[in-house]
């Protein structure tokens, strides 16, 4: 009786969890990049339910009711039996149906978790095996879009931070920008440090490069010979198309004509958020 009560309570828990899961998955897929921590939390809860359910089933074992004692037959009474008849215990159909419902739900959930790509997998896939990346700061990593703005402040875009840190796990990343003075350099470095870019271990201050002209940034890229270069300047993209394997042009407007090795996206996080 206690085991049956536990199974009923667990069934109700699974049903409530199913409703919660529907809302959670809707929230996850409303963004371009799934939050790996949220997916992991949901997956962990599902795994706990799976093991709990299997443990209860293994401990409960098949329970069958003892057949009722038939009164002894007299010589005048004749009893006929059918060899293919199957005796179904009371409540057996309902229990079996609930078991199948729960198992089907858990199987479908596990399949759903498997098809949700993590951010790391998306980054590796979209980089096509590239191991070195150069990227300009203005308009890609920073909110500001001109060197003049950097003279007053530098702000890291919060939406791109997770993607940037994920890229540094798999690639040798160099950030670069044109600045007008040394104070702008210090503001940029301070903004990156405060955002935690240097704490992950994948990027150091020595890999943040500064120059005074757009041509200087182009020269940095050619000297480093990256697999990918990310920029907002279409002229730089055009000049480097012959030398760099892949380029990502960050622009709100998709260019009409680009080289075959040049991709375009409104933002860095949107490019790596696509599957």
């Amino acid at each position: 009786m206690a085991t049956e009560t536990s199974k009923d309570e667990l069934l109700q828990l699974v049903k409530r969890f199913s409703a919660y899961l529907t809302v959670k998955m809707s929230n996850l897929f409303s963004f371009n990049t799934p939050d790996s921590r949220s997916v992991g939390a949901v997956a962990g809860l599902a795994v706990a339910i799976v093991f709990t359910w299997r443990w209860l089933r293994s401990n409960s074992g098949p329970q069958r009711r003892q057949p009722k004692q038939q009164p002894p037959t007299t010589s005048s009474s004749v009893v006929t039996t059918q060899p293919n008849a199957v005796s179904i215990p009371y409540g057996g159909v309902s229990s079996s149906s609930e078991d199948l419902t729960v198992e089907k739900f858990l199987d479908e959930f596990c399949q759903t978790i498997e098809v949700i790509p993590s951010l790391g997998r998306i980054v590796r896939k979209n980089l096509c095996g590239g191991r070195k990346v150069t990227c300009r700061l203005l308009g890609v990593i920073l909110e500001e879009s001109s060197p003049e703005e950097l003279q007053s402040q530098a702000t890291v875009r919060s939406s791109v931070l997770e993607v940037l840190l994920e890229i540094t796990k798999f690639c040798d990343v160099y950030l670069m920008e044109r600045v007008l003075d040394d104070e702008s350099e210090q503001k940029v470095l301070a903004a990156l440090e405060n955002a935690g870019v240097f704490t992950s271990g994948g990027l150091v201050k020595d890999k943040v490069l500064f120059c005074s002209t757009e041509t200087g940034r182009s020269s940095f890229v050619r000297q480093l010979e990256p697999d990918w270069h990310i920029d907002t300047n279409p002229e730089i993209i055009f000049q480097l198309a012959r030398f760099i394997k892949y380029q990502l042009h960050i622009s709100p407007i998709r260019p009409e004509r680009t080289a075959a090795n040049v991709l375009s996206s409104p933002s860095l996080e949107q490019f790596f958020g696509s599957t």
Side-chain angles (χ1 to χ4, degrees), residues 4 73 104 128 144 181 190 215 230 232 234 241 250 263 269 271:
E4 292 295 330
T73 59
K104 181 180 179 181
C128 304
E144 292 73 25
D181 49 44
T215 303
I230 305 169
T232 60
I250 301 298
L263 305 178
E269 58 271 31
F271 175 73

Side-chain angles (χ1 to χ4, degrees), residues 122-241:
I122 295 174
V123 167
R124 290 194 298 270
K125 175 184 175 182
N126 288 11
L127 287 177
C128 304
R131 302 296 296 176
K132 181 182 287 189
V133 177
T134 56
C135 177
R136 84 166 301 179
L137 287 161
L138 287 173
V140 181
I141 307 301
L142 300 178
E143 296 281 0
E144 292 73 25
S145 57
S146 68
E148 288 76 17
E149 294 180 73
L150 294 179
Q151 290 183 300
S152 57
Q153 65 177 11
T155 308
V156 176
R157 300 174 63 242
S158 57
S159 59
V160 80
L161 185 59
E162 185 178 8
V163 175
L164 175 61
L165 294 178
E166 198 69 34
I167 295 174
T168 61
K169 295 179 182 179
F170 307 103
C171 302
D172 188 14
V173 179
Y174 291 83
L175 303 178
M176 53 190 63
E177 192 48 66
R178 177 171 73 93
V179 295
L180 302 179
D181 49 44
D182 295 339
E183 288 74 14
S184 297
E185 293 185 16
Q186 297 304 317
K187 287 183 173 63
V188 170
L189 292 174
L192 293 173
E193 185 171 14
N194 292 335
V197 173
F198 302 128
T199 59
S200 64
L203 184 66
V204 295
K205 291 183 179 181
D206 291 341
K207 293 183 179 181
V208 182
L209 311 177
F210 298 97
C211 55
S212 58
T213 63
E214 292 290 279
T215 303
R217 188 167 76 253
S218 179
S219 298
F220 280 156
V221 177
R222 292 188 62 178
Q223 292 174 15
L224 291 169
E225 298 180 343
D227 299 302
W228 280 85
H229 176 63
I230 305 169
D231 213 298
T232 60
N233 190 330
E235 295 184 3
I236 297 293
I237 294 290
F238 176 76
Q239 294 172 8
L240 296 174

Side-chain angles (χ1 to χ4, degrees), residues 21-30 42 109 112-113 116:
L21 182 64
T22 302
V23 177
K24 188 65 177 177
M25 286 301 174
S26 299
N27 293 336
L28 288 176
F29 285 108
S30 63
V42 176
F109 171 78
T112 302
I113 290 297
I116 300 178

Side-chain angles (χ1 to χ4, degrees), residues 31-43:
F31 300 93
N32 287 326
T33 304
D35 186 348
S36 58
R37 289 172 295 181
S38 299
V39 175
V42 176

